[in-house]
Amino acid sequence: MKVYVINRHGRPLMPTTPRKARLLLKSGKAKIVGRDPFTIQLVYGSSGYTQPVKLGIDAGYENIGFSAVNEKEEVIGGELKMLKGMSERITEKRKYRRTRRNRLRYRKPSFSNRRVNKGWLAPSIQHKLDTHHRLIDKIRRILPVIAVTIEVAAYDIQKINNPTIEAEQYQYGEKYGFDNLHRIYPAPG
C-alpha cells in the first residue's frame, strides 16, 4: 500500500509508506487532502525530488485498466468500470423532458432548430472519452507523470495461440462443427 504525496504548492511528489505518512500527520507536517486514493499534502517546503513515472492505459469497452510505473516498481494500478446503458438513460431522460414540455399549452413549435456542432460525438462515446480524461487527470494530480500511453489495439487471440494461422483457417476455431450450445446439450423434456 502506498500513500500519495503532494507538496504545499499542489505538485505531486513520489508516494511514501503509510508509516512515514502517519508520522508526518501526527507531527503536523502534513494534512489529508484525499481518501481514494489516500493522499496527503505537505505543509512545509520540500526538495521536490521526483522520479519519472509512466502511465499506461488499456482502453476497453466496459473497463479501463491503468498502471503507473517508475524504473523500480508499479506505483499505482487498477481497473475502472464504466457506466453501462448510456443510450437507455438518454432515452429515458428524453421521455421525461417531452412529457414535461407537452404539459405546456401554447408553446411555439421547436423541432427544426437543432444544429450539430462540428466536433460532436455520440453521448456514449463522449462519456467514454470524458472518463478517460478524468482518470488521467486524477492520476496526474497525485503522481509526477511524464508520459501517458494508451493502448487501443485489439488482440488477435487465435494468432497468439497459433502463430501460423492464415486466411480461412480462422473459420475452424475451437467451436467449429457446433451450430450452438443446444446441439451439444439438448433441452430436457
Side-chain angles (χ1 to χ4, degrees):
M1 185 177 151
K2 299 193 180 319
V3 175
Y4 301 96
V5 182
I6 57 176
N7 69 8
R8 71 175 171 184
H9 303 294
R11 293 192 194 95
L13 301 173
M14 293 309 290
T16 187
T17 61
R19 179 182 184 279
K20 177 124 183 182
R22 196 168 43 250
L23 293 173
L24 288 170
L25 289 167
K26 279 187 180 178
S27 65
K29 294 181 179 179
K31 63 180 180 178
I32 299 171
V33 292
R35 299 220 179 252
D36 186 29
F38 193 76
T39 309
I40 61 172
Q41 182 175 13
L42 301 178
V43 294
Y44 66 93
S46 64
S47 65
Y49 170 74
T50 59
Q51 300 168 5
V53 176
K54 295 180 181 176
L55 174 63
I57 294 182
D58 182 13
Y61 183 73
E62 292 182 359
N63 301 320
I64 303 171
F66 61 93
S67 177
V69 295
N70 62 7
E71 294 173 0
K72 298 178 186 176
E73 62 183 346
E74 182 180 46
V75 184
I76 191 171
E79 183 178 81
L80 178 69
K81 295 192 183 300
M82 299 210 315
L83 291 175
K84 295 180 185 175
M86 280 304 285
S87 61
E88 291 84 10
R89 291 177 183 180
I90 291 168
T91 304
E92 186 177 4
K93 188 168 92 171
R94 184 179 70 187
K95 181 181 74 171
Y96 288 127
R97 184 177 62 241
R98 285 182 174 176
T99 304
R100 210 171 42 243
R101 287 181 177 170
N102 285 335
R103 278 191 231 122
L104 299 176
R105 294 182 186 182
Y106 313 116
R107 184 179 175 96
K108 187 174 127 184
S110 61
F111 53 85
S112 62
N113 63 352
R114 304 295 186 262
R115 192 179 319 158
V116 176
N117 294 334
K118 207 163 198 138
W120 182 85
L121 291 173
S124 55
I125 305 292
Q126 186 67 49
H127 165 70
K128 186 175 182 178
L129 181 67
D130 293 343
T131 303
H132 280 77
H133 282 289
R134 274 194 305 271
L135 175 65
I136 292 169
D137 290 343
K138 184 174 184 177
I139 293 174
R140 291 187 80 181
R141 279 195 296 270
I142 61 171
L143 288 173
V145 175
I146 61 164
V148 178
T149 306
I150 300 177
E151 178 187 311
V152 292
Y155 286 107
D156 187 355
I157 301 297
Q158 287 186 327
K159 191 79 165 178
I160 292 171
N161 293 335
N162 180 9
T164 61
I165 194 167
E166 293 179 357
E168 69 273 350
Q169 292 175 344
Y170 280 101
Q171 297 175 10
Y172 306 112
E174 62 184 45
K175 295 180 182 174
Y176 178 72
F178 299 102
D179 289 339
N180 56 28
L181 292 176
H182 294 294
R183 182 164 285 188
I184 302 170
Y185 303 106

